[in-house]
Amino acid sequence: MNYLKFNESELDDELKEKSIKEVRQVCLGCKSCDLAQTRRNVVFSDGKAGAPIMLIGEAPGADEDATGIPFVGKAGKLLTSLISDVGLSRENDFYICNTVKCRPPENRVPTDEEKCICERFLNAQINIVRPKVIILCGATSAKSFLGNDIKITQIRGKWFKLFNSLDAVVIFHPSYLLRNRSEEENSPIWLTKQDLIAVKNFIGK
Ligand code: URA
């Protein structure tokens, strides 16, 4: 698909927070697709707009829909603990959002149409936050940027330049990790920790 756009201007942290707040307000009122009929809350983002790492997931699940905060359910808790296991801080180092801001019924994968309709919000988030690195978390997120033909097992751990400018790495989605709990060397959880360590090194922490 690779439909996202990118512009080149830089904002300071205060202006980033202000701009993100404005985009959030617009997003909270969005009724551009049918997901608006079934959502309880729009799940816009969590974390600081000036954070060095932006993590982009798929779409909110039930817990996120109930709270309005991304990655707070079982998968989110696992993600948060992996982040702290490698010495990063979800609160200070991450700006977290999803490709689609409203929960698809029964947690189905968002359609390409829903992703396209929601694209303007993700686009604005990337342009404002301008992180040092983007983590594409799971297949849906990776496909939004790298095309629908990618295979997550083939590209996880690989680094890409998005928009010829932004560094990005693909990691497994924590829902997949919940179904594969081994922590042995080369297990999905072990590989994900290696990916997060690479991110940590990349931002110089
Ligand atoms: N899965 C996602 O991709 N995003 C969330 O916010 C929660 C679960």
Side-chain angles (χ1 to χ4, degrees), residues 46-47 51-56 70-72 75-97 135 137 171-172 174 177 183 189 192-201 203 205:
D46 188 34
I53 306 167
M54 180 170 186
L55 182 138
I56 305 173
F71 284 105
V72 290
K77 288 195 171 78
L78 175 56
L79 176 68
T80 305
S81 76
L82 293 176
I83 287 171
S84 70
D85 284 352
V86 303
L88 288 166
S89 154
R90 170 170 173 157
E91 206 187 331
N92 295 315
D93 297 326
F94 281 77
Y95 179 84
I96 298 183
C97 64
I135 298 179
C137 181
I171 69 167
F172 286 134
L177 303 181
E183 298 203 20
I189 289 186
T192 303
K193 282 193 190 173
Q194 303 309 303
D195 296 339
L196 291 172
I197 290 167
V199 167
K200 183 181 167 194
N201 291 336
I203 64 164
K205 202 172 168 195

Side-chain angles (χ1 to χ4, degrees), residues 43 56-61 64 69-73 75-76 96-98 137 173-175:
V43 180
I56 305 173
E58 179 177 301
E64 292 76 20
I69 306 168
F71 284 105
V72 290
I96 298 183
C97 64
N98 286 303
C137 181
H173 194 281
S175 305

Side-chain angles (χ1 to χ4, degrees), residues 35 57-60 99-100 102 104 107-115 140-141:
L35 298 182
E58 179 177 301
T99 53
V100 166
C102 297
N107 297 344
R108 65 164 169 73
V109 175
T111 62
D112 281 350
E113 193 189 353
E114 288 159 353
K115 283 162 65 175
T140 299
S141 173

Side-chain angles (χ1 to χ4, degrees), residues 48-189:
K48 293 193 173 77
I53 306 167
M54 180 170 186
L55 182 138
I56 305 173
E58 179 177 301
D63 295 304
E64 292 76 20
D65 184 48
T67 57
I69 306 168
F71 284 105
V72 290
K74 265 193 184 164
K77 288 195 171 78
L78 175 56
L79 176 68
T80 305
S81 76
L82 293 176
I83 287 171
S84 70
D85 284 352
V86 303
L88 288 166
S89 154
R90 170 170 173 157
E91 206 187 331
N92 295 315
D93 297 326
F94 281 77
Y95 179 84
I96 298 183
C97 64
N98 286 303
T99 53
V100 166
K101 314 302 186 208
C102 297
R103 183 191 183 200
E106 272 107 54
N107 297 344
R108 65 164 169 73
V109 175
T111 62
D112 281 350
E113 193 189 353
E114 288 159 353
K115 283 162 65 175
C116 273
I117 291 170
C118 223
E119 149 202 330
R120 64 193 168 118
F121 297 117
L122 182 56
N123 205 9
Q125 287 171 309
I126 294 170
N127 274 306
I128 294 165
V129 174
R130 189 73 60 87
K132 284 196 182 133
V133 57
I134 292 181
I135 298 179
L136 302 175
C137 181
T140 299
S141 173
K143 283 177 180 175
S144 294
F145 294 86
L146 305 171
N148 277 338
D149 293 337
I150 60 107
K151 296 263 175 298
I152 186 76
T153 45
Q154 286 169 7
I155 60 161
R156 109 58 330 261
K158 292 210 161 59
W159 287 71
F160 296 87
K161 279 264 183 226
L162 305 181
F163 318 107
N164 291 323
S165 158
L166 278 175
D167 290 284
V169 63
V170 177
I171 69 167
F172 286 134
H173 194 281
S175 305
Y176 173 69
L177 303 181
L178 282 175
R179 302 191 295 273
N180 296 275
R181 298 307 299 253
S182 162
E183 298 203 20
E184 274 171 27
E185 201 168 325
N186 292 319
S187 67
I189 289 186

Side-chain angles (χ1 to χ4, degrees), residues 27 38 45 130 134:
C27 189
T38 49
S45 68
R130 189 73 60 87
I134 292 181

